[in-house]
Amino acid sequence: MLVYAVRHAESLANAGQTDSLNSALSALGERQVEALRRRFSVTPLAAIYSSPFLRCLQTALPIARAVDLPIFLRPELSEHHHLEPGARADSELEAVREIVRRHPGVVPCSDYGGAYGWPPVDESSGEVIARMRAFAAFLKNRWRGPEDSVLLFSHGSPIARLIEAWLTDQPGPWFRFTIDNGAVSAFRYYDGVSSLVCMNEISHLRELPAPQRANFREDGSIKSVPPNGYW
């Protein structure tokens, strides 16, 4: 099976235009979504999964409509906020029933075994590692066909931990992966072997302006110094 993991397109928070933890996409983010829609509209897919955050759903919905698939909500794909224990912040996430009502095409995932709820904003590093390792195991057990391909939409930190979980039996040091807004990472599971096909692939974004906080410049070259706080 093959997994395409997409970090949501640029949000208003990424662009420095809001402090909301559940912000919508920026104007550039909407253009990135169109580039992603063109890329995946011709890709055979068995399922689409998404974080419940608005920026992920706004990235996923045009693609789901193009390929005529529902979007399955998965709590494991939620953002990890890196806040201290006991931190008080409002994620602004609604209950799953309200999210489904507001976004036609988004549905609860019938394969999700637990009670629906979202990770707390002060979730620890160990907790995000655990949930992404559980989600990696779910994907490998659920999609066993060699031609099965799934698409998921999440955030920088969860995707980084999912890549680690996909490739390793035990979690290692908390190191950063470079994952830009709208970037695609792909990993494969075949004949019992896990592999990373690509990470932070942005060829579909090359005709668009580079966001200020991107790891790449307008000409596609890579910045030697990473943008502050960017996954």
Side-chain angles (χ1 to χ4, degrees), residues 202 206 208-210 216-223:
I202 55 166
R206 288 290 175 83
L208 297 177
F216 57 94
R217 302 183 183 90
E218 294 289 338
D219 62 2
S221 62
I222 305 301
K223 297 176 181 177

Side-chain angles (χ1 to χ4, degrees), residues 9 69 99 139 158-159 177 179 183 185 194 200-201:
L69 284 175
I99 293 175
L139 289 175
I159 291 175
F177 292 83
I179 303 175
S185 299
S194 302
N200 204 48
E201 208 285 306

Side-chain angles (χ1 to χ4, degrees), residues 47-151:
I48 298 175
Y49 300 98
S50 180
S51 158
F53 281 85
L54 180 59
R55 53 195 179 274
C56 284
L57 297 179
Q58 288 182 333
T59 305
L61 277 164
I63 298 163
R65 293 176 185 131
V67 299
D68 195 25
L69 284 175
I71 297 170
F72 294 125
L73 284 177
R74 296 292 301 207
E76 303 99 317
L77 296 176
S78 296
E79 177 69 288
H80 176 61
H81 300 287
H82 302 276
L83 298 178
E84 294 297 323
R88 293 182 177 274
D90 184 3
S91 71
E92 302 176 24
L93 283 178
E94 299 172 308
V96 61
R97 178 166 39 189
E98 186 62 18
I99 293 175
V100 168
R101 185 188 70 80
R102 287 181 183 273
H103 303 284
V106 178
V107 299
C109 183
S110 59
D111 294 319
Y112 183 65
Y116 261 95
W118 316 126
V121 294
D122 61 346
E123 176 189 36
S124 69
S125 298
E127 288 170 323
V128 71
I129 288 172
R131 65 172 157 101
M132 297 320 296
R133 298 193 81 82
F135 190 65
F138 159 74
L139 289 175
K140 290 178 179 180
N141 288 320
R142 173 63 179 84
W143 301 104
R144 297 176 177 270
E147 300 301 321
D148 288 339
S149 295
V150 302
L151 176 62

Side-chain angles (χ1 to χ4, degrees), residues 10 28 32 181 208-216 218 223 230:
E10 185 189 66
L28 176 57
Q32 292 174 339
N181 289 121
L208 297 177
Q212 182 178 354
R213 298 181 70 189
N215 286 279
F216 57 94
E218 294 289 338
K223 297 176 181 177
Y230 205 90

Side-chain angles (χ1 to χ4, degrees), residues 11-14 18 20-25 53-55 58 92:
S11 69
L12 293 173
N14 295 139
T18 181
S20 170
L21 296 185
N22 193 25
S23 64
L25 295 182
F53 281 85
L54 180 59
R55 53 195 179 274
Q58 288 182 333
E92 302 176 24

